[in-house]
Amino acid sequence: MDFFDRFAVPHPSFAIYASMVAIGLTTIAIIAGLTYFKKWGYLWREWITTVDHKRIGIMYLISALVMLFRGGVDGIMLRAQLAVPDNTLLDSQHYNEIFTTHGVVMILFMAMPFIMFFMNLVVPLQIGARDVAFPRLNALSFWLFFMGAMLFNISFVVGGSPDAGWTSYFPLASEEFSKSVGTNYYMIAIQIAGIGTLMTGINFITTIMKMRAPGMTLMKMPMFTWSALIANLIIVFAFPVLTVALAMGTMDRLFGTHFFTLDNGGMDMLWANLFWVWGHPEVYILILPAFGLYSEIISTFSGRNLYGYKSMVWSMVLISLLSFLVWAHHFFTMGQGAFTNSIFSITTMIIAVPTGVKIFNWLLTLRKGKIRMTTPMLYSMLFIPLFTLGGVTGVMLAMSAADYQYHNTMFLVAHFHNVIIPGVVFAMLAGLTYYWPKMFGFMLNERLGKWTAWLLSIGFVLAFIPMYITGLDGQVRRSFTYSESTGFGPLNMVSFVGAGIMAIGFVLIVYNIYYSIRYASRDISADPWDARTLEWATHTPVPEYNFAIVPEVKSSEPFWDAKKHDHKLFKGEIEKIHMPNNSGMPFLMSCVFFVWGFSLIFSLWIPAIITTIGIFIFMTLRSFEKDHGRYIPVKEIEETESELRGA
């Protein structure tokens, strides 16, 4: 029994047992459904083995929405626990596990795949390419992310969840203080997903730099493509730091090394430095593509070109550089010294300047524009004041002396969510609504979409503004309870109500998708929003090859110019198109990575060695494989184009 004891959850509860049953029943239902409807072959041919950037993007989207639900449930449980004083809904251990997994799931397994969804779907179309530079690597990137996410998410039913916080600070994350395998899950699952993200960064930098349509210089790229390029450059510089830190933490836990221990030459603050050298640029990996989406949406629904194109580009470049110079503001209170704190206080304040430039550019784009208040535009309008509030509180936190008051309180929790929810989540939902017809050939319901935007905004204000007040009054973060004498109860109840309203908003998103699938009109054009950039110049649904003829670009808004100024986008004749073949190797290799990670987590050394060898075998097979892709003949292209024009 000793062998099986290690897989048991160390702190079981009714919720965990219910989750086990739910996971089992869901798995059975999926297998039964695929078998009954005979969809195993379709699933393998069209999705699991696909290298099409659009389908990979949709799989990122599905993963992000599932993780949004998982992380949202965690968030509701946290607010329910703090809704009243001396609550016993969760004990301290379960509270620690839930706020740890909430942070990891929302940042790494919800927000990141949402960003990757937009990059995969939009970037090749915006630059007039037929796919990404390395299609099979793109598939491997997704499946490694997916397996990392699934590995992390089984932790709460097999072996126990991580409980050292989403930052997993040492020595709390060491074997001495985190004895279960939960932190092993953290170290290895994020490592596997992070390898996939790093490969995505390399892939999209290459795609943007080498595969742009003729005439599309760097300063003629759409703003979302610019934001994707800069975010991926940050990925390439930041994620190796996380990879090294996670490897060192894994060795401390599994092999008894002393990188982050308190003795034998270890240094626990080394983890904090390495984590935030990655962690703060990670915020901009999320926010810059969100800014790019807002730029596209505001320009489209204002009916005019984006104000200050060059200043928008240079502000993003400056943000990316400064993002690597602010990491130590996360430990102003940890004894660095006044001089060091002053340096990082100044750099943190400076980064607000290029961010402010973008706010003014959006406002000036709106000025004199013919604004259409669609659902994506409503999210964008709500974003500006809410995000600005988060930015102002960020400047407050940048003052190192004042940070002693703010740092370990709910004020900081409110600030972070005040930036991420309007800045990233609203952008993702706005972009999802905006690009939905391009993906699926019908639009989401506008009435339900606007109700959702307002519910999320009202819920957000009620959920997080009270935290600023309780934080300033001294309510500490990461604490699972408080006494009635503190007086925090009423405002925490308001926060719980706000979180509940946000939950209703997210349920409404699901209902909107269901309602629109059933009732939305399929009789829409390929350009239902009267948009401005190249992704709207192709058909809906987008054919496998994206463009039958590669477009020729003369401005940063080529499709708008083609519509309004008679610029000819597509010149020449249709020729055969080279496309990559599907491959099951990325999926199979990621499965081996999953088993490898699981084996290391539980110190199953024989399976770990076998799967390590298996990974190298897959790499070797790929190195010697001769797969030159295939050509789509002209006749097939013409038939597809004729059919899509008719549709």
Side-chain angles (χ1 to χ4, degrees):
M1 285 297 294
D2 290 342
F3 176 81
F4 293 100
D5 285 345
R6 73 175 76 181
F7 302 107
V9 177
H11 305 283
S13 68
F14 173 77
I16 290 174
Y17 290 135
S19 299
M20 291 178 180
V21 173
I23 290 171
L25 292 176
T26 302
T27 303
I28 292 169
I30 292 171
I31 293 172
L34 290 170
T35 304
Y36 180 79
F37 293 106
K38 299 179 181 179
K39 292 294 184 182
W40 286 107
Y42 168 80
L43 185 66
W44 176 261
R45 291 189 307 273
E46 300 297 328
W47 293 95
I48 292 177
T49 62
T50 187
V51 296
D52 185 339
H53 69 96
K54 301 177 288 296
R55 289 179 179 264
I56 290 171
I58 290 171
M59 290 193 291
Y60 271 118
L61 171 64
I62 294 168
S63 302
L65 292 174
V66 171
M67 291 299 101
L68 179 62
F69 174 79
R70 161 75 206 277
V73 170
D74 285 345
I76 290 291
M77 292 174 70
L78 296 175
R79 296 318 311 162
Q81 168 62 22
L82 296 175
V84 295
D86 301 310
N87 200 356
T88 57
L89 176 67
L90 302 173
D91 61 28
S92 59
Q93 176 61 31
H94 286 140
Y95 186 86
N96 287 348
E97 292 176 4
I98 289 169
F99 85 70
T100 298
T101 56
H102 172 72
V104 174
V105 166
M106 285 302 209
I107 296 295
L108 290 169
F109 299 132
M110 186 281 290
M112 283 298 285
F114 238 132
I115 295 294
M116 298 306 170
F117 153 63
F118 286 110
M119 287 183 186
N120 272 277
L121 177 72
V122 177
V123 167
L125 294 172
Q126 279 200 337
I127 64 173
R130 296 216 162 97
D131 208 315
V132 296
F134 308 113
R136 194 178 291 194
L137 188 68
N138 196 29
L140 180 60
S141 297
F142 167 75
W143 286 114
L144 285 177
F145 152 77
F146 182 80
M147 292 302 174
M150 292 303 100
L151 189 62
F152 186 87
N153 275 277
I154 66 169
S155 63
F156 75 111
V157 293
V158 182
S161 294
D163 57 3
W166 92 273
T167 56
S168 203
Y169 282 156
F170 284 80
L172 187 60
S174 67
E175 274 282 300
E176 181 180 359
F177 296 105
S178 292
K179 295 184 182 300
S180 77
V181 296
T183 302
N184 293 357
Y185 272 110
Y186 177 100
M187 295 289 167
I188 293 167
I190 296 176
Q191 183 83 290
I192 292 170
I195 293 169
T197 302
L198 179 59
M199 292 192 299
T200 296
I202 296 167
N203 203 345
F204 275 89
I205 291 170
T206 309
T207 300
I208 294 169
M209 296 305 294
K210 302 298 290 184
M211 298 183 68
R212 300 190 305 276
M216 184 177 282
T217 62
L218 287 175
M219 296 310 288
K220 289 179 183 174
M221 291 196 310
M223 197 52 60
F224 179 74
T225 298
W226 259 114
S227 70
L229 174 62
I230 295 170
N232 282 293
L233 285 167
I234 298 174
I235 285 172
V236 168
F237 282 98
F239 264 80
V241 180
L242 178 66
T243 301
V244 170
L246 291 169
M248 293 162 72
T250 301
M251 287 190 281
D252 270 14
R253 289 187 57 85
L254 296 184
F255 305 116
T257 56
H258 295 278
F259 293 111
F260 306 126
T261 59
L262 299 178
D263 55 5
N264 293 320
M267 187 185 299
D268 59 323
M269 277 300 294
L270 177 61
W271 169 268
N273 277 276
L274 291 174
F275 182 89
W276 286 114
V277 166
W278 162 81
H280 205 86
E282 164 67 13
V283 175
Y284 295 99
I285 293 168
L286 300 178
I287 206 73
L288 288 178
F291 286 169
L293 285 170
Y294 283 130
S295 297
E296 303 290 354
I297 290 166
I298 289 172
S299 177
T300 294
F301 296 112
S302 296
R304 58 172 300 184
N305 61 308
L306 189 66
Y307 182 89
Y309 177 95
K310 290 183 179 179
S311 64
M312 290 288 268
V313 171
W314 285 111
S315 65
M316 286 194 291
V317 172
L318 189 57
I319 286 170
S320 70
L321 295 173
L322 289 170
S323 71
F324 287 93
L325 301 176
V326 298
W327 81 89
H329 70 212
H330 291 275
F331 27 92
F332 277 154
T333 62
M334 298 184 191
Q336 297 175 116
F339 179 74
T340 302
N341 280 357
S342 298
I343 295 297
F344 285 95
S345 180
I346 291 166
T347 57
T348 304
M349 292 183 188
I350 289 173
I351 206 168
V353 175
T355 308
V357 167
K358 306 181 86 58
I359 297 288
F360 282 108
N361 281 1
W362 290 319
L363 292 174
L364 289 166
T365 303
L366 292 167
R367 182 175 176 265
K368 296 184 179 179
K370 295 180 180 179
I371 297 172
R372 292 176 285 149
M373 198 55 69
T374 60
T375 299
M377 191 63 160
L378 179 58
Y379 276 115
S380 304
M381 295 298 93
L382 292 167
F383 147 77
I384 291 175
L386 293 175
F387 181 81
T388 301
L389 175 62
V392 170
T393 57
V395 174
M396 293 173 65
L397 287 159
M399 296 183 287
S400 56
D403 192 62
Y404 280 83
Q405 170 68 23
Y406 309 136
H407 185 73
N408 273 322
T409 70
M410 298 302 284
F411 186 94
L412 189 145
V413 176
H415 156 73
F416 182 75
H417 287 82
N418 204 165
V419 172
I420 292 298
I421 292 177
V424 178
V425 177
F426 280 22
M428 300 303 100
L429 298 177
L432 178 63
T433 309
Y434 184 61
Y435 284 111
W436 189 273
K438 181 54 63 178
M439 286 187 291
F440 300 115
F442 62 92
M443 301 177 74
L444 293 175
N445 183 272
E446 279 286 287
R447 182 183 177 88
L448 290 173
K450 289 176 180 177
W451 269 103
T452 302
W454 282 113
L455 281 172
L456 291 177
S457 299
I458 294 167
F460 166 80
V461 170
L462 290 175
F464 293 102
I465 299 303
M467 293 187 200
Y468 284 122
I469 301 169
T470 61
L472 290 174
D473 282 346
Q475 184 182 7
V476 296
R477 57 182 174 144
R478 305 187 182 121
S479 177
F480 82 106
T481 191
Y482 56 92
S483 67
E484 188 173 359
S485 62
T486 60
F488 299 146
L491 285 174
N492 276 289
M493 178 56 74
V494 172
S495 286
F496 174 61
V497 171
I501 294 172
M502 291 187 73
I504 294 170
F506 287 119
V507 170
L508 201 56
I509 293 171
V510 177
Y511 177 70
N512 193 350
I513 293 171
Y514 163 78
Y515 180 88
S516 300
I517 289 172
R518 288 201 63 180
Y519 301 113
S521 170
R522 268 58 175 178
D523 186 20
I524 63 170
S525 71
D527 178 30
W529 304 115
D530 193 20
R532 309 175 78 86
T533 43
L534 269 182
E535 68 269 30
W536 301 98
T538 187
H539 304 289
T540 300
V542 183
E544 178 190 5
Y545 47 78
N546 294 347
F547 301 94
I549 301 171
V550 174
E552 294 188 21
V553 173
K554 295 182 180 178
S555 71
S556 61
E557 296 182 327
F559 186 44
W560 183 260
D561 290 339
K563 290 189 294 185
K564 305 300 179 182
H565 306 297
D566 295 324
H567 289 185
K568 191 170 183 181
L569 270 178
F570 303 105
K571 301 176 182 178
E573 300 295 327
I574 294 177
E575 298 177 355
K576 64 179 181 179
I577 297 173
H578 180 266
M579 296 299 294
N581 289 320
N582 285 1
S583 173
M585 190 177 289
F587 173 74
L588 296 174
M589 188 174 180
S590 70
C591 291
V592 176
F593 262 99
F594 182 92
V595 178
W596 173 80
F598 188 87
S599 301
L600 285 180
I601 287 165
F602 289 95
S603 301
L604 305 173
W605 300 118
I606 293 175
I609 293 168
I610 293 170
T611 49
T612 302
I613 295 170
I615 290 167
F616 281 99
I617 289 172
F618 270 106
M619 294 167 67
T620 304
L621 289 173
R622 176 56 180 152
S623 297
F624 288 97
E625 184 180 9
K626 293 182 179 179
D627 182 355
H628 301 296
R630 60 194 167 82
Y631 281 96
I632 303 176
V634 172
K635 184 179 179 182
E636 183 180 336
I637 298 167
E638 289 175 341
E639 289 173 354
T640 302
E641 291 293 300
S642 177
E643 180 183 340
L644 290 172
R645 276 194 292 269

